[in-house]
Each structure stands twice: as structure tokens, then as C-alpha cells.
Amino acid sequence: MRARRVRPPRGLEIRAASPEQLPEIADRVTAATADCNFARVWTPSALRQWLEWAPTGTPVHHYRLAMSPSGAVLAGLALRQEGLLRSMEVVRMPPAIRLANSVLHVVPRDGILRNIGVEHVWYLPGQERAAAALWEDTRWSFRDRGTGLLLTVDRRSPLRSVLGVRPWMPATSIMTAVRADPSPSPKRLIAPPE
């Protein structure tokens, strides 16, 4: 999360999605992963249900957009406030991890991690700046709702450079065995799991 706000580029508006925008968002999310292995097709009704899910009375999911001065949607991302459902507490850290944390600030002082999962990130061709601004604004705007943003992305994805993923940033990796017919293409990116 960010300690200081970074203003979006002039004219770019960052805001929550409105119900009227759900059909366009569903189309954009689906199109963004259409060429990926294990892509998911989104519908406006599925997205609406996803956004309305509130098991504790507070909506868990949010969808944010970057918009041009003319009102065109340029980029979007979804957020899942996992901290409303569960949190993790770090009670002890090895000295090396504690030292790294003093620089990276992954684990907060109280030791309680309230993660916010990021999903369904997309941007129009040529709108990398809008996507980067959306990411940075989200890191600031949701700082009181969670301690960190978590994003699963194929390491070959151009999204990594757009969002400023640096080699020293904390990362994990997963390996999943898949049996599918037809077999997934190793040349295609993997759509992020949900």
C-alpha cells in the first residue's frame, strides 16, 4: 500500500464502476484473457452477483476504473477484501525476515495481515499509463481497508511491467498440474486463477 498519494495523470479519473458499466466491464475482462489458457468468460449478471456478495453485511468485492476526460473506460481492476473474511497474524519472524520487513514493510507493526486480492485487471491497447495510475491510486485509496494488494499473474505477462513489479518485491510462485483436453498451449499466457 502507499503512504502517500500519487496523483493520476491530468484528466484521468479513477473511480468505482457503476451498474451501467457492468456489460462493458464484463466484455473487457473476457477479451483481456481470451488468448490465455484457462480463460473465463464473464457476463454482466455474474459480475453483478460477484459485486453484491456481502456475507458480513459489507460488500467484499469492488471494481475500479480509469476513465478518460470524455468518459471512455481505459482500464479496470477488481478487488476482493479478504480481510473482511479472514486475516493472518504473524507472531514471530526469523531475524533475516524481520530485517527485510523493516525495509519492505510487508508485515505491519501489529503483525496482522489483511490482504486485498486483485483480479480481472485489463487495459485497452496503448493505455498502460492509465492502468499504472489505477494501480497506484488503488494502493492509496484502499490503504485503510487492507495491508497489501495481492495479484496473481503469469510471469511472462506485460502486466508485470505496467504495474511496476520489481525484482525485489515479495513474490511467491505456484505450480498446478492440469489435465485438459485439448492440452493447454505453453506459448499462451495462463489466465490468473480466482
Side-chain angles (χ1 to χ4, degrees):
M1 305 309 262
R2 293 195 66 90
R4 293 192 181 103
R5 183 173 191 187
V6 174
R7 298 240 178 241
R10 187 179 191 94
L12 191 69
E13 181 185 357
I14 309 291
R15 65 179 182 84
S18 68
E20 300 80 34
Q21 294 170 310
L22 297 185
E24 180 180 2
I25 293 167
D27 289 345
R28 298 287 185 197
V29 169
T30 299
T33 58
D35 293 331
C36 295
N37 290 310
F38 315 116
R40 180 173 178 190
V41 175
W42 270 94
T43 64
S45 62
L47 186 54
R48 184 174 291 105
Q49 285 179 323
W50 185 83
L51 285 167
E52 291 172 351
W53 189 58
T56 63
T58 302
V60 173
H61 299 126
H62 310 273
Y63 207 94
R64 305 190 80 224
L65 301 170
M67 302 182 65
S68 75
S70 66
V73 180
L74 306 175
L77 61 76
L79 300 168
R80 183 182 61 254
Q81 276 187 261
E82 294 172 6
L84 290 174
L85 305 173
R86 67 175 178 236
S87 59
M88 295 186 295
E89 183 176 8
V90 177
V91 292
R92 283 190 307 265
M93 287 188 281
I97 301 294
R98 194 174 30 239
L99 179 63
N101 190 61
S102 68
V103 175
L104 298 173
H105 308 290
V106 174
V107 179
R109 285 191 174 114
D110 65 3
I112 298 174
L113 297 169
R114 294 173 292 114
N115 296 324
I116 298 177
V118 180
E119 303 173 351
H120 314 300
V121 182
W122 64 272
Y123 55 93
L124 293 178
Q127 295 300 328
E128 291 82 0
R129 282 184 54 210
L134 176 60
W135 174 257
E136 292 303 326
D137 187 81
T138 301
R139 290 179 61 209
W140 165 257
S141 298
F142 277 71
R143 72 194 181 283
D144 294 332
R145 300 187 201 190
T147 56
L149 298 179
L150 301 180
L151 173 66
T152 301
V153 64
D154 188 314
R155 67 175 174 241
R156 302 168 294 168
S157 172
L159 191 57
R160 289 173 53 93
S161 63
V162 169
L163 301 182
V165 176
R166 304 287 185 248
W168 62 85
M169 294 176 83
T172 59
S173 63
I174 59 171
M175 184 178 296
T176 305
V178 175
R179 182 177 175 193
D181 188 25
S183 295
S185 169
K187 294 180 181 177
R188 295 171 72 190
L189 295 177
I190 305 291
E194 297 175 23

